[in-house]
Amino acid sequence: MFRIEAAEVLLVRLPLKFRFETSFGVQTEKLVPLLVLHGEGVQGLSEGTMEAAPMYREETIAGGLNLLREVFLPRVLGRSFANPEALEAALGGFRGNRMARAMVEMAAWDLWARSLDVPLGTLLGGHKTEVEVGVSLGIQADEAATVEVVRRHVEQGYRRIKLKIKPGWDVQPVRATREAFPDIRLTVDANSAYTLADSGRLAALDAYDLTYIEQPLAWDDLVDHAELQRRLGTPLCLDESVASAQDARKGLALGSGRVINVKVARVGGHAEARRVHDVAAAFGAPVWCGGMLESGVGRAHNIHLSTLPNFRLPGDTSSASRYWETDVVNEPLEAANGLMPVPRGPGIGVTLNREFVARVCELEEEYRA
């Protein structure tokens, strides 16, 4: 049993250390919503992964923060819950808006774990002390630049290289990378930029021994992905189109893909992420943990989730120092030879760098029961 007594909502702006281009556009900074729940003498932390504009999925930062203020926090403040699943059920009557709901659910998991003095991964059923990680590389200026940035990250020991692609920039960087690095684990991510009419172009990627092609078609589609998978030898990986365990079941049953990228916030929190993990395991499909350019709070949650046994492929949880000069947490989250240590200590194992957060904070609100 744990009680939620108060909450803080923070919004911080972090400059990225590099220009990150995908089929959505170019990103040079990240606006990060943070939630702190207080109770049982401890604090539970979470991070929102929605963006300012509805590019990845339909949620936005403005909409998510308003739902926290007006709908979700009023339903949990001042209440006691037997466990985070009970809190999840209290928010379960609302449609969609899974990223906003996940902020409350994930912070509750952290609070509960800290109150029990247990690591979050242990409560979720994980057992690993370190997890395999890869790296997600944005679209580069040309093939030579692509090979060079891949080389740097291969030398750093990352266990999977993922290239962002888009129509007109797909076979070229993949061919150049595979020729330069014939033995690396290589994948691509299209961020929903293609249609079935592009199946011939995507089929050309079969020649380059990719582990998977991630979310090539529409963000809300499963049917066309199944048709595309029948036309390709390379496995498809579902990302945006899996928002629940039911979506995972339907996608795998239809043959829409053979791998699932689990983003804990996209599916509404840790409880549903664990259900997606279990459904995929029942189908024999591996999962891996995707990233949304998280700060240290979201990164720590991702690492703990990745300790579950069916996370059999390297995730996107690469070193925080790739992204930020200064992170919002005090503890370094750094990979070595493609392995990320699970943060030690109760809960997610990291604490807010309050001094730095105060310098970059654009919004700070407090709520009590």
Side-chain angles (χ1 to χ4, degrees):
M1 186 75 69
F2 64 95
R3 178 179 172 83
I4 298 176
E5 299 163 357
E8 297 173 70
V9 175
L10 308 169
L11 188 63
V12 302
R13 188 180 299 273
L14 301 177
L16 280 164
K17 291 174 70 174
F18 54 86
R19 178 183 183 274
F20 189 62
E21 181 176 348
T22 71
S23 61
F24 294 139
V26 176
Q27 196 166 356
T28 58
E29 63 181 10
K30 183 75 188 292
L31 200 56
V32 181
L34 299 171
L35 176 65
V36 185
L37 294 181
H38 297 259
E40 306 301 324
V42 296
Q43 300 176 3
L45 308 176
S46 70
E47 175 174 339
T49 61
M50 64 286 283
E51 298 172 335
M55 302 293 292
Y56 171 74
R57 279 192 62 94
E58 72 282 8
E59 292 184 67
T60 65
I61 292 173
L65 294 183
N66 190 62
L67 282 172
L68 284 179
R69 299 181 191 107
E70 303 295 331
V71 180
F72 298 151
L73 289 178
R75 280 163 174 76
V76 301
L77 285 171
R79 291 186 58 184
S80 295
F81 298 93
N83 49 48
E85 286 96 337
L87 178 142
E88 180 198 28
L91 300 178
F94 301 106
R95 295 185 179 181
N97 297 285
R98 293 177 182 270
M99 293 179 180
R101 279 190 285 160
M103 289 185 71
V104 184
E105 194 257 18
M106 293 167 70
W109 274 100
D110 186 33
L111 188 151
W112 191 43
R114 291 180 198 260
S115 73
L116 298 173
D117 198 30
V118 174
L120 174 60
T122 301
L123 282 186
L124 293 173
H127 58 82
K128 303 169 189 172
T129 58
E130 56 188 8
V131 299
E132 279 195 304
V133 294
V135 68
S136 178
L137 303 178
I139 294 169
Q140 306 298 311
D142 53 33
E143 294 170 39
T146 300
V147 170
E148 178 55 33
V149 73
V150 169
R151 186 183 311 280
R152 291 203 307 271
H153 290 90
V154 168
E155 289 172 352
Q156 291 169 25
Y158 284 105
R159 301 197 174 190
R160 180 223 62 199
I161 299 294
K162 181 170 76 175
L163 302 178
K164 294 289 188 177
I165 61 171
K166 64 181 180 179
W169 183 251
D170 37 44
V171 174
Q172 312 94 304
V174 170
R175 180 177 55 234
T177 299
R178 181 53 82 200
E179 288 175 354
F181 304 97
D183 300 322
I184 64 170
R185 181 181 278 156
L186 183 62
T187 72
V188 296
D189 183 8
N191 291 113
S192 305
Y194 294 83
T195 71
L196 269 180
D198 300 306
S199 59
R201 186 72 176 178
L202 293 168
L205 296 174
D206 280 345
Y208 301 104
D209 189 27
L210 301 179
T211 305
Y212 52 78
I213 299 170
E214 187 178 350
Q215 195 71 33
L217 306 182
W219 66 276
D220 56 353
D221 169 74
L222 292 174
V223 174
D224 281 357
H225 275 100
E227 175 58 33
L228 180 62
Q229 183 66 92
R230 285 190 286 271
R231 301 180 186 183
L232 302 184
T234 305
L236 297 183
C237 172
L238 300 175
D239 177 358
E240 288 96 317
S241 55
V242 173
S244 68
Q246 289 282 26
D247 288 342
R249 177 187 62 80
K250 293 172 184 176
L252 292 170
L254 286 169
S256 308
R258 301 173 192 160
V259 179
I260 292 180
N261 169 353
V262 180
K263 290 178 178 169
V264 57
R266 187 192 73 230
V267 302
H270 283 296
E272 190 69 10
R274 189 166 57 184
R275 295 181 196 115
V276 173
H277 165 278
D278 293 348
V279 166
F283 277 87
V287 303
W288 56 277
C289 188
M292 293 287 287
L293 302 179
E294 287 93 344
S295 76
V297 172
R299 195 170 303 275
H301 274 281
N302 290 344
I303 296 167
H304 279 275
L305 178 66
S306 299
T307 63
L308 293 173
N310 196 39
F311 282 87
R312 293 188 278 130
L313 295 175
D316 280 343
T317 317
S318 52
S319 296
S321 61
R322 283 192 64 236
Y323 302 94
W324 323 115
E325 290 290 350
T326 305
D327 202 349
V328 301
V329 299
N330 293 301
E331 296 76 9
L333 298 175
E334 299 297 309
N337 194 31
L339 292 171
M340 174 68 75
V342 178
R344 304 177 69 174
I348 59 174
V350 299
T351 56
L352 276 185
N353 181 342
R354 290 281 186 170
E355 180 181 350
F356 175 68
V357 168
R359 295 205 307 268
V360 295
C361 192
E362 299 191 356
L363 173 73
E364 183 175 3
E365 300 173 344
E366 295 185 9
Y367 300 91
R368 294 192 173 271

